[in-house]
Amino acid sequence: METIVNSRIKQVLKGDQNAYGEIVELYKDKIFQLCYRMLGNRHEAEDVAQEAFIRAYINIQSFKQGKKFSSWIYRIATNLCIDRIRKKKPDYFLDAEVPGTEGLTMYSQIASDSVMPEDKLVRLELQETVQKEISKLPEKYRAVIVLKYMEELSLNEISEILDIPLGTVKTRIHRGRETLRQQLRNL
Amino acid sequence: MSCPEKYTAYMHDYLDEDISEQRALELSEHIQSCGTCEEHFKELKRTIALVQGTAHIKAPEGFTEDIMAKLPKEKRKVELNRWFKNHPFLSAASLFFLLMAGSLFSNWNQEEQFSYSKQPNILVENDTVIVPEGEVVKGDILVRNGKVQIEGEVQGDVTVINGEISGEKYLAAAGKVTGEISEVNEIFDWIWYHIKTTVKNTFNMNEDEERSLQ
Ligand SMILES: [Zn+2]
């Protein structure tokens, strides 16, 4: 996949915008998921994920050939998410609401829309709770947990994306796991 | 409650698959004899399973299109290159026209004598083709190296190559041309004129009769 991406990047560097569309297609789900798990809100996730791709396009000259594009775009997106979280009030995103649907969280929206088997509802509720607990983590722990367990990246990749030493990645993952364990133990 | 801290650290190292065999063995021996650590380890593994178990979500509809619409405009040259790539027939045609333009250039300089399309009711005075008042010419008029004076009506195109259409200024008052009026006096007009007629002839197959005076 990296070979395809590198040849598309060469086209983009020559000014071919359409080639960039193919790159976006390849990574859009991963980047959107990262933003959603970091921000806990679809609208904000879409906003930030789009901004990440647009920034990557504008700064494509500074992308070093031979490096992994995925790490680069993950890094841009993660930094944008962290910036966004820091700008918000710390408790705002805990009960993330979709604008115009006051009082409804993602879970209750899905649940009210359709009749579902009991176990599916329970599963959705559980996922909602987990997402909420992830959203409560301090952003530096949140980033490593999301990158490791939702994006399924290796610790080395995470160290490259966040530009921090491998040892720091491990410490943050340990703390993140411990915090989540305490929150989720009674489920 | 008095378990050494190191066992928690070993648990995390184990979960990161970054533990020596000897420590892994030490950990497993301890867990077998310590309920607190056993529970702790179980909870950690369950936490990971819960986090991993959240459904994978996809980017919303139209995500890529939205981004593409927001990107700054690309360079014109690339747009043209892609157009040629996507329209191979038309680019071949363009190339053909360019090559033809080369041979036309010599034609442009060679054909210096006065010539015109022979239409019935027209008058010729020296190098001027006249459409007299009250006359109706049905068809196109093409004049090379001469002038056209239109006082009557032309139901077709009037083209003058290397000359002028002198009746043009009072067309509104007296003369009338239903088709296009064009004066071709520059090499690019000349090329353009040929491209247009080639396209017209190719697609309409209506050759207009052009005869030389000589
Ligand atoms: Zn113990």
Side-chain angles (χ1 to χ4, degrees), chain B residues 3 30 34 37:
Chain B
C3 292
H30 177 74
C34 170
C37 285

Side-chain angles (χ1 to χ4, degrees), chain B residues 3-4 7 11 30-31 34-38:
Chain B
C3 292
Y7 290 119
M11 286 179 209
H30 177 74
I31 279 172
C34 170
T36 315
C37 285
E38 190 189 11

Side-chain angles (χ1 to χ4, degrees), chain B residues 15 19-20 28 31 48 74 82 85 127 153 170 190 202:
Chain B
L15 294 172
I19 190 168
S20 68
S28 100
I31 279 172
I48 292 168
E74 67 183 358
R82 187 168 54 242
K85 222 190 242 170
D127 63 347
E153 186 178 337
Y170 51 86
W190 172 237
T202 313

Side-chain angles (χ1 to χ4, degrees), chain B residues 18-124:
Chain B
D18 182 31
I19 190 168
S20 68
E21 242 176 81
Q22 197 224 314
R23 283 182 178 182
L25 198 69
E26 217 181 303
L27 176 66
S28 100
E29 274 169 7
H30 177 74
I31 279 172
Q32 275 164 22
S33 61
C34 170
T36 315
C37 285
E38 190 189 11
E39 186 59 22
H40 190 150
F41 197 40
K42 252 192 210 160
E43 283 171 6
L44 277 175
K45 287 200 265 190
R46 184 162 169 272
T47 300
I48 292 168
L50 280 171
V51 174
Q52 283 174 325
T54 53
H56 280 240
I57 50 167
K58 285 191 175 350
E61 286 280 304
F63 183 84
T64 307
E65 290 76 8
D66 282 357
I67 288 173
M68 297 311 283
K70 286 177 192 163
L71 295 183
K73 270 271 158 211
E74 67 183 358
K75 290 170 200 147
R76 182 117 190 109
K77 201 188 109 204
V78 182
E79 221 170 348
L80 271 177
N81 280 343
R82 187 168 54 242
W83 188 84
F84 281 136
K85 222 190 242 170
N86 294 340
H87 301 86
F89 170 73
L90 287 176
S91 22
S94 311
L95 185 64
F96 168 72
F97 286 140
L98 277 175
L99 291 173
M100 215 176 64
S103 66
L104 284 178
F105 190 80
S106 43
N107 280 357
W108 173 249
N109 290 326
Q110 277 161 14
E111 294 180 20
E112 281 175 9
Q113 70 274 65
F114 173 49
S115 68
Y116 64 96
S117 327
K118 204 168 173 81
Q119 293 287 2
N121 39 26
I122 54 169
L123 290 175
V124 180

Side-chain angles (χ1 to χ4, degrees), chain A residues 107-119:
Chain A
Y107 159 68
S108 49
Q109 260 187 66
I110 296 166
S112 64
D113 279 354
S114 50
V115 184
M116 279 189 195
E118 188 82 4
D119 63 331

